[in-house]
Amino acid sequence: MKKTIILGLVIILIGGFVSCKKNKRFEVPRNIKKIEVKLNRFDIDFLKLDTNNLDAGIKDLYRRYPDFMSIYTGDILGVDPHDTAQVSDLIAGFLSDTTFKSVNSKTLEVFANVTPVEQQLSGAFTRLHFYFPEIKIPEIYFFVSGFNRSLLFDKQMIGVGADMFLGADYPRYQSFTYQYLINNMHPQSISPSVVTGWLYNHFPYVPGEERLLENMLYHGKIMFLLSVLMPDEKPNVLIGYEKKQWEWSRKYEKQIWETIIDRNDLFSSDLMLIRKYIDEAPFTAPVSQESPGRLGVWLGWQIVQSYMNKHPEVSLRTLLIDNNYKQIFDKSGYQP
């Protein structure tokens, strides 16, 4: 019994050492230029509009937020930004809607202090700029969407639909979307979602052989880079899993892998099958109804992690531009 305990302690210590060593590999120098992210609170100015003098207020929004206001009216309101009469009518209706008055008030309450989000994004984009200085840092805007959109991307701007991140226990979510999506609609998801979206925009999938393997490892590369950019965040938060979902995946990792191999799914080019492994869903259907969704993304991350652990000479840039997924897989030595 004592030997077992001692052996367990040794394994924990070794694991801790390996983990620390891995993290230090991608530490950035302390004296590098810091990126200071300041959120543009379009949501506050929008919700402060005086409905008795709406035209003047909307004109002021166009003046203060010329680019984002056009995106907001086009993508969220669904109207021509130049059609000022229709823009005014829709905004007046939205601001007076009793349901969304409550939602909007809750949004301002939850996000009265956005300093934690700004700090997280500052750290992530500081690291991104260190490794990829050619990538421009986006302007980030908070907005209210009427439960329409969680994120907006356009050139050098990101919009965050703050009313989509009020917390999984927010009762009004129950009536308009699925529970498996609600589980990830909390403030802690904002920073990982913003950074992940920006990475997908700048490192798009380059299809070669359109198989499950390629899709898994592409998403795995994005997740690995995200973990480097946000090293202090819990891995389950990065991928959008509840803690119990992450623990389930870890516990059954070997069985998950065996299922994919036994079903001959790894090299399948069946797009419907690929979506079952990659897309948001209550569970990963080919594996188990007890599983979390997107196990293909989770497993791709584990394979890429194994590959990078075995090849310390590979830089982040090299990893991101390497589209020889079969070679990455072969060299990963992945064996759960």
Side-chain angles (χ1 to χ4, degrees):
M1 186 67 170
K2 289 183 178 180
K3 288 183 179 179
T4 303
I5 293 172
I6 292 172
L7 179 59
L9 288 172
V10 170
I11 291 172
I12 291 171
L13 289 171
I14 291 174
F17 174 76
V18 171
S19 175
C20 291
K21 185 176 181 181
K22 177 190 70 178
N23 291 338
K24 286 186 176 180
R25 174 180 173 187
F26 294 109
E27 280 186 355
V28 297
R30 293 185 178 181
N31 61 346
I32 65 169
K33 179 184 177 182
K34 300 294 191 301
I35 303 296
E36 297 293 337
V37 172
K38 290 296 179 185
L39 299 176
N40 294 284
R41 296 305 303 269
F42 175 85
D43 58 328
I44 294 176
D45 292 329
F46 179 85
L47 294 176
K48 282 184 177 178
L49 287 172
D50 181 359
T51 53
N52 293 317
N53 192 20
L54 197 54
D55 289 344
I58 292 174
K59 184 177 181 180
D60 190 53
L61 282 181
Y62 274 111
R63 179 185 63 81
R64 297 178 62 188
Y65 305 97
D67 296 325
F68 187 75
M69 186 62 177
S70 295
I71 296 169
Y72 183 81
T73 52
D75 287 19
I76 300 302
L77 300 183
V79 297
D80 181 351
H82 300 97
D83 189 343
T84 54
Q86 192 173 11
V87 168
S88 181
D89 287 345
L90 286 172
I91 291 178
F94 178 67
L95 293 178
S96 62
D97 185 284
T98 54
T99 296
F100 286 111
K101 272 188 176 182
S102 171
V103 175
N104 295 336
S105 177
K106 182 66 174 179
T107 302
L108 295 180
E109 175 189 329
V110 171
F111 295 106
N113 177 19
V114 294
T115 300
V117 178
E118 291 177 331
Q119 290 176 339
Q120 271 198 320
L121 290 175
S122 295
F125 282 118
T126 293
R127 296 181 186 93
L128 179 64
H129 185 261
F130 175 76
Y131 287 111
F132 302 95
E134 73 279 8
I135 295 180
K136 293 184 179 179
I137 306 304
E139 288 285 325
I140 303 174
Y141 298 79
F142 264 35
F143 66 95
V144 286
S145 73
F147 293 161
N148 183 301
R149 192 83 63 85
S150 57
L151 294 171
L152 283 173
F153 293 94
D154 184 86
K155 298 179 182 177
Q156 296 302 315
M157 290 184 292
I158 301 175
V160 177
D163 55 343
M164 299 290 282
F165 297 96
L166 298 179
D169 58 348
Y170 184 55
R172 292 193 180 275
Y173 286 158
Q174 304 296 327
S175 61
F176 93 97
T177 193
Y178 299 107
Q179 185 61 46
Y180 71 90
L181 296 175
I182 294 174
N183 291 336
N184 204 35
M185 295 170 66
H186 49 79
Q188 293 80 7
S189 292
I190 290 179
S191 297
S193 297
V194 166
V195 178
T196 303
W198 203 238
L199 294 179
Y200 278 124
N201 271 273
H202 283 80
F203 300 103
Y205 178 54
V206 180
E209 295 189 62
E210 189 68 43
R211 302 178 298 187
L212 177 61
L213 175 68
E214 281 74 12
N215 279 270
M216 285 171 51
L217 294 190
Y218 165 69
H219 290 284
K221 292 198 297 185
I222 296 296
M223 290 307 306
F224 180 83
L225 179 53
L226 179 65
S227 69
V228 170
L229 300 182
M230 303 186 70
D232 299 323
E233 188 55 271
K234 295 176 182 177
N236 64 291
V237 174
L238 294 179
I239 198 171
Y241 277 3
E242 295 180 86
K243 184 179 179 182
K244 63 182 180 181
Q245 292 177 311
W246 181 271
E247 291 172 347
W248 190 97
S249 304
R250 276 295 187 202
K251 181 178 180 180
Y252 294 107
E253 184 174 0
K254 183 177 181 181
Q255 290 90 329
I256 295 167
W257 181 243
E258 289 175 347
T259 297
I260 293 175
I261 299 302
D262 291 345
R263 287 172 47 92
N264 295 315
D265 287 348
L266 189 62
F267 299 105
S268 173
S269 57
D270 182 338
L271 293 181
M272 288 297 292
L273 178 70
I274 292 172
R275 291 186 64 181
K276 289 178 180 178
Y277 279 101
I278 300 297
D279 289 359
E280 292 279 6
F283 52 85
T284 303
V287 176
S288 167
Q289 291 191 8
E290 304 299 319
S291 69
R294 301 170 62 236
L295 272 179
V297 177
W298 183 86
L299 199 58
W301 186 5
Q302 311 314 306
I303 295 171
V304 171
Q305 180 72 67
S306 178
Y307 171 74
M308 293 300 282
N309 286 346
K310 284 184 175 294
H311 298 279
E313 76 282 0
V314 176
S315 68
L316 289 176
R317 185 178 295 275
T318 299
L319 173 69
L320 267 293
I321 65 176
D322 186 357
N323 296 315
N324 190 337
Y325 293 103
K326 180 62 166 59
Q327 181 173 277
I328 291 174
F329 170 67
D330 290 339
K331 290 185 175 181
S332 72
Y334 177 71
Q335 192 64 47

